[in-house]
Amino acid sequence: MNRDADGSLHDRARRDERIRRALGPVAPPVQRLRTWLDHVDSEGESLENAADRALAMVTTVLLSLGMLFGATTAAGVFYYDGSGRVNVLAVMGVLVCFPAVLLFLSWAAALNGPRIAAVPLVGDLLGAVGRVSPGRFARVISRICPEDQRLILNVLLGFDSNAHPSLGPVRRWLAARWSHLSGLGFFSGALATILALVLFTDIAFGWSSTLTVSSDRIHGVAKTLAIPWGNLIPDAVPTLELVQATRYFRSGEITSPVVDPVLLGQWWSFLVLSLIVYGLVPRAASALVARWLLSRAVSRTFVHHPQSEAVLERLTGGSVDGHASDPEEESPASWPESVPREWPEIRASDHVVNWSSVPIVDETLAAEFGTATILHAGGEHSLEDDAALIDRLATSRAGAVTVVCKAWEPPVLDLTDFLDAVAAGGAATVRVVPVRVDHGTPIRAQPRDRIVWQRAFASSPHSLASPPGKGMTH
């Protein structure tokens, strides 16, 4: 956005007007700003690509770390040396219940952080959870990124002192998305490890608790948890017989004196589906929702940034066109009886520029102003055309340049910038001649028009010329 100040006011105004007309009245603000940036900032695309690569780097590392942590945790919880049982309740607590609590707290902190943070103990708990959130490790990961990506991450994550306060929502949802993606990696790694252990080893499952819990209650809880897949995969719903047969106590003895060894391995399908339904799916859904909220926060921040609002005001507001194709109708009695055919102040001009398409053919201008070089600028001509003309005048070392304008149009900043550029290019003299047109011939301006032009050029270094006896140089 800092490039908005580059170039002259004339160039910026015409550029923005061209963009506004190309987009039309129904283009959304984000599209308007992106189109504007494409025209203004030639490095914008490379900067955006660098930001995408930086964010992708952090996402990849956090997802990989999550998978590694999930695989390690599952391997520890499912550790079995043949002497005991893999406790189903411990698996559910570590891999399902605890992550579900963390998921709830992360959403509570993201959606209502400021209000919840003010609640005693709860705010401290959320603060502790936030400090160990995977998204917090982005700063550490950024250190392994290339310098250009590291600088972008420092701004996005608020580590740079120049980071704008409006990026707060972006940082919050970016950290939330990274946390959920890390959780998605955690469950992916855990599930891969569990399936590998089930396939390549022989695991004996059971359940045990220090609390006095009946088998009927455990069966009821398991059956309730299995409702999402109960009708589709009935074999993954623990039966009362399985619950009763796989209970064991501290001594390692089971409640039934005779247990079919096959029953000891039947808990795996229930555990895998529990991790998928209550772990993997919620994390995947949370990551998608966080991505949507992040995109919305980015759009809002982009649109409501102070500099963006100034650009949008120019791109969405109505435009006032000060150019008229024809002069105002005047009474024939107000026209001069004779059209002046000589312009002695400017007969020595090296070049004459027809500004903003004064309706006079080149041959007539050449005859009136005594030159064979008639050039065109302003109006419907593009900025590139004007710049090429200015370069041409500078290259030819034009001594005196006369710019013919429509007297019935008030002077605009476009003209002032053009005159300044021509003078800066080396022209010895730059004169402006506002004229009216009578049947394709230039005639002197009306008094009221001359007053307007005289006021506009009162402090200008350029000459304002008029027909014989009316000339005035400032």
Side-chain angles (χ1 to χ4, degrees):
M1 290 298 181
N2 292 332
R3 292 181 178 267
D4 188 27
D6 294 348
S8 66
L9 181 61
H10 156 65
D11 293 341
R12 299 199 303 270
R14 295 184 63 187
R15 174 203 64 206
D16 293 346
E17 175 63 16
R18 187 169 63 251
I19 295 173
R20 187 189 69 81
R21 291 180 177 178
L23 287 170
V26 296
V30 174
Q31 181 184 350
R32 293 179 181 274
L33 288 172
R34 288 191 176 278
T35 302
W36 181 86
L37 281 175
D38 291 341
H39 285 79
V40 173
D41 191 355
S42 60
E43 300 177 357
E45 184 175 356
S46 61
L47 185 63
E48 184 176 356
N49 291 336
D52 291 340
R53 290 194 299 270
L55 296 177
M57 168 70 77
V58 176
T59 299
T60 301
V61 173
L62 289 177
L63 191 61
S64 301
L65 291 176
M67 294 180 67
L68 178 62
F69 184 54
T72 303
T73 303
V77 174
F78 275 75
Y79 176 75
Y80 177 67
D81 59 2
S83 61
R85 303 284 189 275
V86 174
N87 193 343
V88 173
L89 298 184
V91 173
M92 294 295 292
V94 173
L95 297 180
V96 177
C97 296
F98 184 64
V101 173
L102 292 179
L103 179 62
F104 171 78
L105 291 177
S106 65
W107 275 111
L111 293 172
N112 303 288
R115 285 181 290 180
I116 294 182
V119 179
L121 297 180
V122 177
D124 296 336
L125 176 61
L126 290 180
V129 172
R131 283 189 288 273
V132 298
S133 171
R136 297 290 182 177
F137 298 111
R139 184 172 188 177
V140 178
I141 299 173
S142 68
R143 296 174 182 173
I144 66 176
C145 297
E147 184 178 0
D148 58 337
Q149 299 180 21
R150 183 168 63 254
L151 294 176
I152 293 173
L153 287 174
N154 287 339
V155 173
L156 288 177
L157 302 177
F159 304 138
D160 193 321
S161 59
N162 295 324
H164 199 274
S166 62
L167 289 173
V170 175
R171 289 194 291 269
R172 182 170 74 251
W173 291 117
L174 191 58
R177 180 170 179 264
W178 278 335
S179 297
H180 298 314
L181 286 175
S182 299
L184 184 62
F186 174 87
F187 284 103
S188 299
L191 284 169
T193 302
I194 293 171
L195 291 175
L197 291 174
V198 170
L199 181 62
F200 297 108
T201 63
D202 185 13
I203 303 177
F205 294 97
W207 66 275
S208 179
S209 175
T210 305
L211 303 177
T212 304
V213 183
S214 65
S215 298
D216 292 339
R217 179 169 296 181
I218 295 296
H219 175 255
V221 173
K223 189 175 180 179
T224 301
L225 292 175
I227 288 177
W229 65 84
N231 294 329
L232 297 176
I233 313 176
D235 292 341
V237 181
T239 62
L240 181 59
E241 177 188 9
L242 175 64
V243 175
Q244 292 175 339
T246 54
R247 182 174 187 177
Y248 72 98
F249 294 91
R250 301 177 187 86
S251 61
E253 297 178 358
I254 55 177
T255 55
S256 175
V258 179
V259 179
D260 184 358
V262 177
L263 291 176
L264 298 179
Q266 290 184 358
W267 277 101
W268 76 269
S269 58
F270 169 80
L271 294 175
V272 168
L273 288 173
S274 295
L275 263 67
I276 293 175
V277 172
Y278 300 108
L280 187 70
V281 172
R283 286 291 180 174
S286 295
L288 290 175
V289 174
R291 179 180 180 179
W292 175 74
L293 292 172
L294 173 62
S295 177
R296 190 175 68 167
V298 170
S299 298
R300 286 183 174 179
T301 301
F302 189 34
V303 171
H304 295 293
H305 191 280
Q307 294 180 357
S308 296
E309 291 179 346
V311 173
L312 283 174
E313 185 176 355
R314 300 199 303 268
L315 296 180
T316 58
S319 63
V320 178
D321 189 356
H323 298 284
S325 57
D326 299 303
E328 296 178 0
E329 290 292 336
E330 299 183 18
S331 171
S334 65
W335 292 356
E337 295 181 358
S338 60
V339 177
R341 306 292 295 179
E342 299 294 335
W343 307 78
E345 300 177 42
I346 51 177
R347 294 293 293 180
S349 296
D350 297 304
H351 301 277
V352 173
V353 179
N354 184 332
W355 176 262
S356 191
S357 302
V358 178
I360 305 174
V361 297
D362 290 355
E363 291 76 8
T364 301
L365 282 177
E368 293 290 340
F369 293 98
T371 180
T373 307
I374 305 298
L375 307 173
H376 297 266
E380 297 300 324
H381 295 276
S382 66
L383 295 175
E384 291 76 13
D385 294 338
D386 289 356
L389 176 57
I390 293 170
D391 292 339
R392 176 181 172 182
L393 293 173
T395 303
S396 64
R397 300 184 180 276
V401 178
T402 296
V403 181
V404 180
C405 308
K406 302 171 185 175
W408 62 90
E409 288 183 356
V412 292
L413 292 176
D414 300 36
L415 174 60
T416 303
D417 288 339
F418 178 79
L419 299 175
D420 292 341
V422 172
T429 305
V430 180
R431 294 188 178 93
V432 183
V433 180
V435 301
R436 287 191 301 128
V437 181
D438 178 37
H439 296 91
T441 303
I443 62 176
R444 71 181 67 194
Q446 288 287 339
R448 64 173 181 271
D449 293 331
R450 289 201 300 270
I451 292 174
V452 173
W453 283 84
Q454 289 169 359
R455 288 176 178 174
F457 280 81
S459 59
S460 173
H462 311 299
S463 299
L464 182 66
S466 56
K470 302 292 186 179
M472 180 174 60
T473 301
H474 299 278

